[in-house]
Amino acid sequence: MPERPSPTRIANVAFLVFFVLYTAGSIIWLLSGIPPILADHSLAVHETLHRWGASDRGVVTISSNGKLGQRVTVGSRWVEAKELAVWANTPVVIRFENLDKGRYHNFAIYQRDGVRLIWQSQPTVSDTTEISFTAPPPGRYLFRDQLSPSPSAELVAVERDRAIPAWAGWIPGLRTAAVGAAIESHAVLPPSEILLQYLFSALNIGLGILLIRLRPNDLAARLLALGMVGTAAVFNFPAHSGLQEMPLLAKMLHDGYHLFAGLAYVLALLVFPDGRLPASWTRRRWVTWPLLAVFLAVAAVFFNQIRLHGNPPGLVVFFGVLIPLAGITSQSFRLHQASSAAQRQQSRVLLWALSLALGAALFLFGLRVVLGSVRERELQGLAFVVFPVLFAAIPLTLTAVLVRYRLWDMDRVINQTIVYGTLTGVLGLAYVASVAVLGSTFLWPIVGQNNLFLVAITVAAALLFRPARDRIQAFIDRRFYRSKYDAAQTLEVFSSRVRDAIDLDTVAGELLVAAEATMQPARMALWLRPSDGAAEDPDAAPPPNRPGRAEIVQVQVAREDPIIAYLEAAIAPVTLEGLALVSPARDALQGAGMRLVVPLVSQARLVGLLGLGPRRSERDYASDDRKLLEDLAKRAAPALRVAQLVRQLVRQQAAELQARERIEQELQVAQLIQRQFLPRELPELSGWDVATYYQPAKAVGGDFYDFIELPDGLVGLVCGDVTGKGVPAALVMATTHSILRGDAPQFVSPGKVLERANNLLLRDIPAQMFVTCLYGVLDPSTGQLRYANAGHNPPYVHTRDGVVELRATGMPLGAMPDMTYEEKETTLGPGDTVLLHSDGLVEAHDPERKMFGFPRLADLMTGCSGGPELIQLLLGELDGFTGPDWEQEDDITLVALQRAAVPAVTEASKTPALVS
C-alpha cells in the first residue's frame, strides 16, 4: 500500500498552496493599478475606457459635507466625482444619493464651457432619488450640483453601437473595471512616486518568494514572507484603483491584506529568527500569552480600521514605528539571553537597523510638529521619495539574517545601506525645512509663484548642503566604520614603517602589531620559512613576550610538510577547520588555538605564515577581514623576503669579510634583491624565439624587465628604468616589480595597470625619482600586442616592410598623480621581431662623445630580424662603437621576441635569461 502522507507534509503543502494564491492575489491587486496609469498617459486608452464603461445607469452621491461624488456601483466606495460615461441619446437613470442630511441638492448637465445649461433635475432632500433623463448627443459635457460649491465633473456621451466589442461582453465585471479605471485615471501620482512604490512592492514580493524558496518550513520565514507579500499590496497607492475596478474581489483582498499582512509582519518580528518567542517570555506564560493576545488584538483593530492606503504617514507609522517597536522588544530580550556569538550578532544588527528606522520616523514626526501644516505636502513628498528607500533596508536585513547566519559577511552592505540611507534622508528633511523657512519668511511674499526663483532657492540650498553632506559622511566613516577605518590607516602605517626596513625582527614585529590592531585576535603565531639551503633560524620570529594583548605562540613547520605547497597555491587566508590535509603543521596550529592561517607569499614562494586564533569579540573572520589580511600579506611578504635575504647576506659577509665597508654591504644586498626580482628563465612560448640581455652600469642598476603569466595564455611584457643608480634605484625597481606583478593579472588593460602602478608608487617613491616603463600584453597564439608606455623608449618592430616604431604617450610612473596612459595595439606577423630596450644602448658614447643613437639602432634592426642574433649584433656594434676603454654609463636592457616564420612543430623549452 502506498505510504500515507504525514500531517506535517499535508500542512506544508497546504501552506504552499495558500502562499501561491496569496501571492497571486497580491500581484493581481498590483496589476489593477496599471490601467489608470495607461489611461492618464494615453488618450486612446482613456477613450476606450469611456466606450467600454458607458451604460444607461450611474451612481452620483453627495457626501455628508456636501461634496459631489460618485460610486462605480451601488455599495462601492465613495470617490470625488471625476467623470460619468453614458450611452448617447438614450434614456438614462441616475441613482442620486444624498448623504448631506437636511440639505437640498440637484443634478444638472452643462455644455463643455460650463455656461450653457442642457438639463437639470428638481432639488431633492431625500436620501435616495432616481433621476431619469435622455442623454445628450455624443460628446463631452459637464455635470454638477447647482446647490453646492463642488467643482464640476466630466460627462461623456458615447454612441451605443461603439460602446463595447461583442467578445468583451462575455468578460464578467469588464464594464465596472473600465468605469473604475477611467475614474482613477484622474488621480494618478507623479511617475517618480509610481516607480518607487512599484519597486518597493516588487522588492517585498521578491524577498518573500526567496524566503519560501530557501526556508519553506521555517515559521519565521513563513510569517515574514506573508508580511512582505501583503505589504507589497497595502503600501501601493496606485493598486488601490482595484477598489473601483473590482469592487467585490478587491474589497476582500484589500481587507484581508490589511489585517493579515500587518499581523504576520508583527508576529514574525516577535518570533524572529528561530520561530519561537524569547525564552524569558515562554517561562511566564500566564503573563506573556494574555499580553500577546491583547497586543495582537490591538494590532488587528489598527490594521483593520486605520487603512494605510499607501500614503506617506501610513508608510512611516508601519515601518517606522510598529515594526521597529515589535522587533526591538523581541530582539532586546534575545540579545541578553543569546548563548552564542552568532545569535548576538543577529540581534545587534537587527536592533541597529530597527532603531535607525524608528529614529528616522520620530524625526519626521518631530519635523511635522515643528513646521505644522504649512509644509505638509512637501514633507509627504519627501517621505515618498526617501522612506521607501530607507525602509527597504528592513526586509533586506531580515532576509539576510534569516537566510545566512554568517551575518557579518554582509555587514558592509547592510550598514552602508542603513547609515547612508539615513544620512540622505536626514539631509533631505533638513533641505525641505530650510526651503520652507526661506520661502515663508522673506522671499515668498516678493516672488510669489515664480518658478525660476524657487529653482534658484533650491540650487542655493543644495550648494550649501553639499559640503555639510561630505563632512557628515566623513564622520559616519570614522564613527560607524571605525574598525575598518582604523584598519586601513594601520595598513598605511605598516607600509611606511617597513618600506625601508631590512631588519627581520623589526619587520616581523610590525606585522604582528598590524595584525593585532586590525583583527584583535586572542592569540597569534608567526612562522618564517628558512631561505633555501639555510638552517632553521631560532630567531626568525619575535620573542613571545612582545608588548600587546594577544598571546604569541611559537610553531614550527617541517620543510616537507604538505601545508607549504598548499599555502603557496592558496595565497588567500585559509580556515584550518575545513582544511582537508594530512599535515602535522595544521594539527600543531589547531592545537595551539589557531583558526585562520594567512600565507605570506612573494614571487610564488611561501615566505612564512601568520596564524590567528579566535577574536576577542567572538566574531568570525568575515570576507572583508579576509580581504584586509590578504592585503596585509601582500605588503608584508616582500618586506619579509627582503629582510630574510638581508639577514642571510649579512651573516655570510660577517663570517667572510668583517672589514667590508658598509656601503659595499648595502650594494650587495641591493644587488641580491634586484637579481631575485629579475626572471631566472625565459617563458615557454611555442612558436616564439625569446632572448634577453641585462647589464647594470654599477653593482646595482635601475633597469628591469619581466614576463608575467596572465589568464587565458596571455603574457605580460615589462621593460622599465628607474632614475638614479645603486641601492635606491634597486629598491624602487623591486617595489615597481611587485606592484606590476600584483595588478597585472587583475586588469586586462595595460593602460589601467600603469595608471594604478603610478598612483601606488606616488606614495612610496623617494623625492626626485621616477620610473619609465613599457607594459604590453602579448597573445602568443595570434601575435596581438596591446601596449602602453609610461615615458619609456618606444619598442621597435622588424617586419617584412621595414622597421616600425611603436609609440604611445604617457608620463613616467611616480611623477604626477592621476595620470592616464594611451593604449595601442599591433599584430606581429610570422617572422616579425619586437625589441624592448632601455636608454643604456642608444645613449652610449664613443671616444669622441658621439651617441650611438636611435637611427643607428633602427638601421641595425633592418639588416637583422632574428631574436638572439639581433642582440648579439647590437652588442657587437656597441663594443666596436665605444672602443676598448669604454666605461658603461647606464644600464643596458634588451628584450627581443621573434615570431616564427612557420608554425612551431615542437614545444618550446625553457632558456635561462642572459644577465651579465
Side-chain angles (χ1 to χ4, degrees):
M1 294 179 61
E3 183 181 356
R4 296 180 61 184
S6 65
T8 302
R9 184 177 181 183
I10 295 175
N12 290 338
V13 173
F15 172 80
L16 183 60
V17 172
F18 170 75
F19 181 76
V20 171
L21 296 176
Y22 183 79
T23 305
S26 181
I27 294 174
I28 292 173
W29 175 266
L30 294 172
L31 292 177
S32 67
I34 303 299
I37 298 173
L38 296 177
D40 180 60
H41 291 80
S42 172
L43 181 60
V45 175
H46 202 101
E47 293 291 344
T48 301
L49 294 178
H50 285 164
R51 295 196 307 271
W52 290 16
S55 71
D56 59 353
R57 290 191 172 273
V59 181
V60 176
T61 303
I62 304 297
S63 68
S64 58
N65 57 1
K67 287 187 177 181
L68 179 64
Q70 65 183 116
R71 303 181 194 274
V72 176
T73 61
V74 177
S76 63
R77 71 168 180 162
W78 180 94
V79 293
E80 185 177 349
K82 299 297 183 182
E83 69 172 44
L84 182 63
V86 297
W87 291 329
N89 300 318
T90 301
V92 174
V93 177
I94 298 295
R95 179 184 172 89
F96 192 80
E97 299 176 347
N98 184 5
L99 305 180
D100 191 11
K101 303 297 185 181
R103 295 182 181 274
Y104 283 91
H105 296 275
N106 79 331
F107 180 82
I109 301 176
Y110 285 80
Q111 289 286 355
R112 190 75 180 273
D113 57 11
V115 176
R116 289 176 292 173
L117 178 66
I118 296 177
W119 183 87
Q120 65 179 355
S121 69
Q122 294 296 323
T124 179
V125 74
S126 302
D127 293 344
T128 302
T129 303
E130 288 195 350
I131 300 174
S132 300
F133 65 95
T134 299
R140 293 179 179 272
Y141 306 89
L142 299 178
F143 72 91
R144 71 173 64 151
D145 175 11
Q146 294 175 315
L147 305 180
S148 168
S150 298
S152 302
E154 186 178 36
L155 177 71
V156 181
V158 180
E159 294 183 18
R160 186 164 185 172
D161 57 351
R162 299 181 63 241
I164 186 170
W167 60 267
W170 293 95
I171 302 177
L174 180 62
R175 178 198 164 274
T176 303
V179 174
I183 293 174
E184 291 294 314
S185 67
H186 291 270
V188 174
L189 296 175
S192 59
E193 295 186 13
I194 294 174
L195 178 62
L196 278 177
Q197 293 199 33
Y198 272 97
L199 287 176
F200 184 77
S201 298
L203 173 67
N204 278 276
I205 290 179
L207 292 178
I209 295 174
L210 177 65
L211 281 176
I212 297 301
R213 174 68 178 83
L214 298 179
R215 304 180 72 96
N217 301 324
D218 189 288
L219 176 60
R222 289 180 175 182
L223 290 171
L224 190 57
L226 293 173
M228 288 178 177
V229 172
T231 299
V234 170
F235 289 115
N236 190 295
F237 186 81
H240 282 72
S241 300
L243 290 173
Q244 296 292 349
E245 300 171 28
M246 304 172 292
L248 297 179
L249 174 62
K251 191 174 189 307
M252 290 188 294
L253 291 175
H254 178 262
D255 295 346
Y257 283 124
H258 270 279
L259 177 61
F260 202 78
L263 291 180
Y265 226 133
V266 171
L267 189 58
L269 264 295
L270 294 178
V271 301
F272 193 84
D274 56 4
R276 297 188 296 270
L277 293 172
S280 61
W281 293 11
T282 57
R283 287 195 297 266
R284 302 179 181 88
R285 295 181 180 179
W286 60 275
V287 175
T288 302
W289 289 109
L291 290 178
L292 180 61
V294 171
F295 179 81
L296 292 178
V298 171
V301 173
F302 177 86
F303 290 115
N304 194 43
Q305 299 299 327
I306 303 177
R307 302 300 172 80
L308 311 177
H309 289 165
N311 59 334
L315 184 71
V316 176
V317 168
F318 184 79
F319 274 107
V321 179
L322 295 178
I323 292 298
L325 284 178
I328 289 172
T329 302
S330 174
Q331 296 305 317
S332 297
F333 282 93
R334 293 180 185 276
L335 179 62
H336 292 292
Q337 300 166 6
S339 59
S340 67
Q343 293 175 352
R344 285 191 290 273
Q345 293 169 15
Q346 289 177 323
S347 296
R348 288 193 191 103
V349 170
L350 285 177
L351 283 173
W352 175 244
L354 296 170
S355 299
L356 280 177
L358 179 61
L362 295 179
F363 179 82
L364 181 65
F365 286 127
L367 191 62
R368 171 67 175 81
V369 172
V370 172
L371 296 180
S373 59
V374 178
R375 293 298 178 188
E376 181 176 1
R377 185 172 182 181
E378 287 83 349
L379 289 177
Q380 290 193 1
L382 179 66
F384 254 132
V385 174
V386 175
F387 280 86
V389 179
L390 175 61
F391 292 146
I394 295 179
L396 283 172
T397 304
L398 294 172
T399 304
V401 173
L402 200 57
V403 172
R404 296 194 60 179
Y405 282 102
R406 294 292 297 275
L407 183 61
W408 290 103
D409 282 348
M410 305 189 70
D411 175 67
R412 182 172 180 267
V413 176
I414 295 173
N415 280 341
Q416 282 192 354
T417 300
I418 298 172
V419 172
Y420 286 106
T422 302
L423 171 66
T424 304
V426 171
L427 286 177
L429 293 175
Y431 160 72
V432 171
S434 300
V435 172
V437 171
L438 290 174
S440 61
T441 53
F442 57 87
L443 291 176
W444 189 260
I446 300 175
V447 301
Q449 300 292 331
N450 192 322
N451 291 332
L452 291 178
F453 216 92
L454 289 178
V455 171
I457 295 175
T458 304
V459 172
L463 290 176
L464 289 174
F465 275 105
R466 179 58 186 271
R469 185 178 188 276
D470 293 340
R471 288 177 178 270
I472 295 176
Q473 281 190 338
F475 168 77
I476 293 293
D477 288 336
R478 293 191 299 270
R479 176 63 181 86
F480 296 102
Y481 301 106
R482 190 71 209 183
S483 60
K484 292 173 182 166
Y485 177 83
D486 290 341
Q489 297 298 314
T490 301
L491 290 184
E492 296 301 327
V493 171
F494 171 77
S495 297
S496 63
R497 288 181 176 177
V498 303
R499 182 181 304 148
D500 300 321
I502 57 176
D503 180 70
L504 185 59
D505 291 342
T506 301
V507 177
E510 291 292 344
L511 172 59
L512 291 174
V513 169
E516 182 175 6
T518 54
M519 296 294 109
Q520 297 294 311
R523 61 186 63 91
M524 295 188 296
L526 177 63
W527 172 76
L528 298 180
R529 184 181 184 183
S531 302
D532 294 336
E536 289 286 346
D537 185 1
D539 301 324
N545 59 350
R546 55 170 292 279
R549 295 179 59 187
E551 176 189 358
I552 306 301
V553 181
Q554 296 283 1
V555 294
Q556 296 296 331
V557 181
R559 293 179 181 272
E560 300 80 13
D561 198 292
I563 201 172
I564 294 178
Y566 183 88
L567 293 179
E568 279 184 342
I571 301 177
V574 176
T575 302
L576 288 173
E577 184 178 359
L579 183 58
L581 192 69
V582 179
S583 166
R586 185 208 63 176
D587 299 337
L589 287 167
Q590 282 189 300
M594 299 298 112
R595 291 187 179 179
L596 194 71
V597 172
V598 183
L600 303 173
V601 179
S602 176
Q603 290 293 101
R605 183 183 187 275
L606 185 69
V607 177
L609 61 84
L610 174 66
L612 299 176
R615 307 177 77 171
R616 291 195 289 269
S617 64
E618 299 183 356
R619 288 170 49 185
D620 290 333
Y621 292 97
S623 58
D624 283 348
D625 300 322
R626 294 169 184 265
K627 290 178 182 177
L628 190 144
L629 288 171
E630 187 176 350
D631 190 9
L632 177 62
K634 289 180 179 179
R635 301 175 187 228
L640 287 170
R641 178 62 175 158
V642 170
Q644 282 181 319
L645 293 173
V646 169
R647 171 169 289 189
Q648 178 184 356
L649 182 61
V650 168
R651 288 179 176 178
Q652 291 175 353
Q653 295 293 69
E656 295 175 1
L657 297 172
Q658 295 292 333
R660 184 182 295 268
E661 295 182 1
R662 182 173 178 275
I663 185 64
E664 289 182 320
Q665 293 179 352
E666 290 186 357
L667 288 175
Q668 289 195 16
V669 169
Q671 184 180 28
L672 179 60
I673 296 171
Q674 182 186 28
R675 295 297 176 91
Q676 288 290 328
F677 286 92
L678 290 176
R680 298 179 182 178
E681 295 177 333
L682 299 182
E684 299 178 10
L685 301 179
S686 179
W688 292 80
D689 200 355
V690 183
T692 63
Y693 175 83
Y694 174 79
Q695 174 63 51
K698 297 182 180 179
V700 181
D703 278 14
F704 62 97
Y705 70 94
D706 199 8
F707 303 93
I708 305 174
E709 293 184 8
L710 301 177
D712 300 325
L714 304 180
V715 178
L717 308 178
V718 179
C719 185
D721 186 5
V722 182
T723 57
K725 297 292 179 287
V727 177
L731 293 177
V732 171
M733 180 274 289
T735 301
T736 306
H737 177 275
S738 299
I739 291 174
L740 293 174
R741 275 268 174 180
D743 288 344
Q746 304 180 32
F747 300 97
V748 178
S749 167
K752 186 66 176 180
V753 172
L754 293 182
E755 179 181 342
R756 180 168 171 81
N758 175 67
N759 291 332
L760 292 176
L761 272 177
L762 201 62
R763 300 195 300 248
D764 301 332
I765 197 167
Q768 309 300 322
M769 291 190 71
F770 57 85
V771 181
T772 65
C773 181
L774 176 99
Y775 175 67
V777 176
L778 175 65
D779 187 346
S781 62
T782 63
Q784 182 189 52
L785 176 65
R786 288 177 294 147
Y787 59 94
N789 198 335
H792 197 69
N793 295 333
Y796 284 98
V797 177
H798 177 275
T799 68
R800 63 182 63 183
D801 298 325
V803 176
V804 180
E805 191 177 58
L806 303 181
R807 288 194 170 273
T809 59
M811 291 293 292
L813 304 178
M816 297 179 66
D818 300 324
M819 290 289 101
T820 58
Y821 296 87
E822 182 183 19
E823 184 173 320
K824 290 188 176 181
E825 178 179 327
T826 188
T827 300
L828 303 177
D832 291 354
T833 301
V834 60
L835 176 68
L836 284 62
H837 61 97
S838 66
D839 52 14
L841 174 66
V842 294
E843 293 181 2
H845 293 83
D846 66 1
E848 298 178 3
R849 302 301 299 168
K850 295 181 180 179
M851 287 180 56
F852 189 89
F854 289 97
R856 186 188 302 271
L857 174 60
D859 291 339
L860 291 173
M861 284 195 66
T862 304
C864 179
S865 62
E869 295 82 4
L870 175 61
I871 290 181
Q872 293 300 325
L873 173 64
L874 295 177
L875 294 178
E877 287 293 324
L878 177 65
D879 189 41
F881 177 79
T882 56
D885 299 326
W886 174 63
E887 181 177 354
Q888 185 176 338
E889 303 168 74
D890 201 354
D891 306 335
I892 297 176
T893 301
L894 300 172
V895 179
L897 294 92
Q898 183 184 23
R899 187 175 184 183
V902 294
V905 295
T906 59
E907 292 187 0
S909 60
K910 290 188 176 180
T911 305
L914 180 57
V915 180
S916 175

